[in-house]
Amino acid sequence: MRNRIALTAALTTGLLALTAASATAAPNESRTAASGDARACADVKLSGALPVPPAGMAVRQNVSIGPDCTPVLGPARLVPKAGPVANAQAAPAAAAAAADRQVRSWSEMYDCCNIRMTGLYTTSDWSSDGTVVTTSSTDATQQWNREPWNAGWSLKSSGKSADCVANCSVSTNVADASFTYKGIFDPTGNVYANTHRSTVALKADGTASCEFEVDLKNTFIGWNWQRGCE
């Protein structure tokens, strides 16, 4: 089953305007996980973009897996920034002090009981003179849920890259993290896998944007993807 959401967003007169489109699976594609549970959805792919809000604000959005494995897009909420993103590690103080601007993004998968399974977080700092990005840096961290007896989610791989870190009009930074699961819900380790990718574009005019992707090998109705930037 392949589900894909494409989102574009813009801040207009202080409000967040959002458009969305979704595609559903072809009729002959499977809608169940390896377990055969009718509530499960196989090979779900989600993507979306959010603008970085004004200073002191954060933009947050949820996407849940609804009936028939159809993604349900929640509203993009512009809210006051409430401090560090939960579970994310802050950038080194020296880097923040040296930069003019900072943007943080998060991409988290929660199960139907609202337990965070996997998460990818980025913190980007950059300076610009209005014409070029003079310096930039991005840190990426990951979090995952463990179960007793050394089971649960595990980090399989992670990485980050930047196409330009100085003297460029836009610095595009990409972070990715792949997770596997072996535990109480699947002792084989072959059923579940989450892959997150976050892209942050840092611009010479001081603005930025966040793009997100997540690939789920198998998922269940009620799982939800929480993402945002500030």
Side-chain angles (χ1 to χ4, degrees):
M1 167 106 186
R2 294 183 180 274
N3 287 326
R4 190 173 292 275
I5 288 182
L7 308 177
T8 59
L11 285 169
T12 306
T13 62
L15 299 177
L16 190 66
L18 184 71
T19 61
S22 64
T24 58
N28 61 347
E29 289 186 290
S30 172
R31 294 192 178 188
T32 60
S35 64
D37 192 323
R39 297 172 302 162
C41 314
D43 192 17
V44 174
K45 300 178 184 295
L46 306 172
S47 62
L50 293 171
V52 174
M57 303 296 289
V59 60
R60 302 171 182 268
Q61 189 173 45
N62 291 4
V63 179
S64 59
I65 306 300
D68 297 324
C69 300
T70 302
V72 179
L73 180 67
R77 297 178 294 117
L78 188 63
V79 298
K81 184 177 176 181
V85 177
N87 305 313
Q89 296 180 11
D100 296 329
R101 298 168 180 84
Q102 183 182 88
V103 59
R104 293 184 294 180
S105 77
W106 60 96
S107 171
E108 300 175 313
M109 280 305 307
Y110 286 79
D111 66 14
C112 57
C113 298
N114 208 34
I115 296 174
R116 187 206 57 191
M117 297 176 289
T118 57
L120 173 62
Y121 311 88
T122 67
T123 301
S124 300
D125 297 282
W126 81 106
S127 299
S128 66
D129 61 9
T131 302
V132 297
V133 174
T134 54
T135 61
S136 66
S137 64
T138 295
D139 287 336
T141 59
Q142 311 81 30
Q143 296 287 333
W144 56 96
N145 185 57
R146 296 294 291 167
E147 298 169 358
W149 309 293
N150 195 30
W153 289 93
S154 298
L155 179 65
K156 180 181 179 181
S157 64
S158 64
K160 65 175 184 175
S161 63
D163 63 350
C164 177
V165 296
N167 300 317
C168 41
S169 58
V170 179
S171 174
T172 303
N173 299 264
V174 180
D176 59 78
S178 295
F179 303 88
T180 57
Y181 175 87
K182 185 176 182 180
I184 189 171
F185 298 105
D186 171 39
T188 71
N190 297 322
V191 176
Y192 302 104
N194 295 351
T195 300
H196 297 254
R197 172 170 290 184
S198 297
T199 303
V200 180
L202 312 172
K203 304 175 184 179
D205 64 2
T207 63
S209 62
C210 301
E211 297 182 7
F212 308 91
E213 297 175 64
V214 63
D215 291 357
L216 310 172
K217 184 176 181 180
N218 283 297
T219 182
F220 282 86
I221 293 171
W223 281 24
N224 66 93
W225 182 28
Q226 301 184 18
R227 64 194 180 198
C229 58
E230 62 184 21

